[in-house]
Amino acid sequence: MAALEIVLVPALSDNYVYLLHDAASGKTAVVDPGEAAPVEAALKQRGWTLTQIVNTHHHADHIDGNEALKARYGVPLVGPRAEKARIPGMDVTVGDGDTVDIIGHTATVYETPGHTTGHIAFHIPDSAALFCGDTLFALGCGRMFEGTPAQFWKSLSTLRALPAETRIYCGHEYTQSNARFALAIDGGNARLKARAEEIDRKRAAGQPTVPSTIADELDTNPFLRADDPAMAAAVGMAGADPTAVFAEIRRRKDSF
């Protein structure tokens, strides 16, 4: 089966919505439509018709387009079972370890609590694609609004174990600010320095920095390296438990 065509649709101030298109069937899904108008415009531009809506979590900037898109296209909405009470209109609910059909492609669902307690991510192996909402960002991770450090570190550890070539389609264009923070605590990382320079070039040209890959993040994302002794030492916590190191990195980013 041919890989999905994946289109980044900018929305709101810094969100990314994703259109997933299967050329063979002509089906199209949308992931986390924070608003409907940009999605409708992108579909019209390409001559595509929406087939399915997929949500990773309940925050308004990821679901506010659901109602209008369901009303216009009459399509099913797939989302996290644990957030059923917080996402209106879900037709299919899924949880950890489930597989779900996304326009003819099998996605594995991972529960990734931390940003919200019911957050999920979708991994589509045949397209080497991960849709992780606000759990994992390029060079960062989401704010810990509802979960615990232990939950969030487990979630990130699960995602970082996916194949290295997996492309990460996250919910926001935060990479440049994430890079500045990463450099502040991991400034000796040559790969991070090179990546930060490339990010600056892309943003200066108005280009997205997403997707990155699991391999990129393992090399340069401090939040995925809380069990690396060098990272623990960098935040003054040599020998500490990785969960505690992660919590300290997250605390520093919150006030950076």
Side-chain angles (χ1 to χ4, degrees):
M1 180 178 287
L4 289 163
E5 180 180 352
I6 300 171
V7 176
L8 281 68
V9 181
L12 302 168
S13 61
D14 52 30
N15 279 71
Y16 285 133
V17 178
Y18 297 101
L19 290 181
L20 286 56
H21 183 71
D22 181 75
S25 67
K27 294 179 179 180
T28 305
V30 64
V31 178
D32 284 352
E35 55 180 340
V39 175
E40 292 172 351
L43 289 166
K44 182 178 180 180
Q45 178 185 351
R46 292 165 176 81
W48 297 346
T49 299
L50 193 65
T51 310
Q52 189 178 35
I53 304 170
V54 179
N55 286 166
T56 62
H57 66 294
H58 71 87
H59 284 161
D61 62 325
H62 291 253
I63 70 167
D64 272 3
N66 286 353
E67 184 177 358
L69 293 171
K70 278 177 67 74
R72 177 166 180 177
Y73 298 99
V75 298
L77 169 59
V78 179
R81 186 175 299 124
E83 298 197 350
K84 188 171 184 178
R86 302 200 282 184
I87 302 178
M90 284 197 290
D91 301 288
V92 178
T93 59
V94 292
D96 198 53
D98 289 345
T99 57
V100 62
D101 183 291
I102 297 180
I103 57 169
H105 296 250
T106 299
T108 300
V109 178
Y110 296 96
E111 289 182 356
T112 56
H115 182 65
T116 71
T117 52
H119 201 300
I120 58 175
F122 297 86
H123 177 226
I124 306 179
D126 69 21
S127 300
L130 172 68
F131 298 91
C132 51
D134 289 357
T135 296
L136 174 63
F137 292 129
L139 283 176
C141 74
R143 283 185 177 268
M144 193 165 53
F145 287 126
E146 297 178 5
T148 66
Q151 287 177 317
F152 216 144
W153 173 241
K154 182 180 178 182
S155 297
L156 293 174
S157 297
T158 296
L159 296 184
R160 74 175 185 174
L162 292 172
E165 68 274 12
T166 304
R167 294 188 300 276
I168 299 166
Y169 294 93
C170 57
H172 293 269
E173 181 57 71
Y174 288 166
T175 319
Q176 196 167 38
S177 61
N178 286 343
R180 287 194 289 268
F181 171 73
L183 286 167
I185 62 171
D186 192 24
N189 185 330
R191 290 179 178 175
L192 172 59
K193 289 179 180 178
R195 187 176 176 193
E197 291 171 0
E198 176 63 16
I199 288 162
D200 287 342
R201 286 193 291 271
K202 284 185 174 181
R203 295 310 294 154
Q207 298 173 350
T209 63
V210 176
S212 62
T213 67
I214 294 292
D216 295 331
E217 300 309 318
L218 288 172
D219 284 341
T220 56
N221 187 331
F223 293 97
L224 294 190
R225 297 174 53 223
D227 57 350
D228 181 340
M231 182 55 61
V235 294
M237 298 183 68
D241 180 81
T243 297
V245 176
F246 168 78
E248 174 62 13
I249 297 170
R250 185 62 261 177
R251 184 194 68 78
R252 292 189 182 201
K253 180 63 167 66
D254 288 343
S255 59
F256 183 72

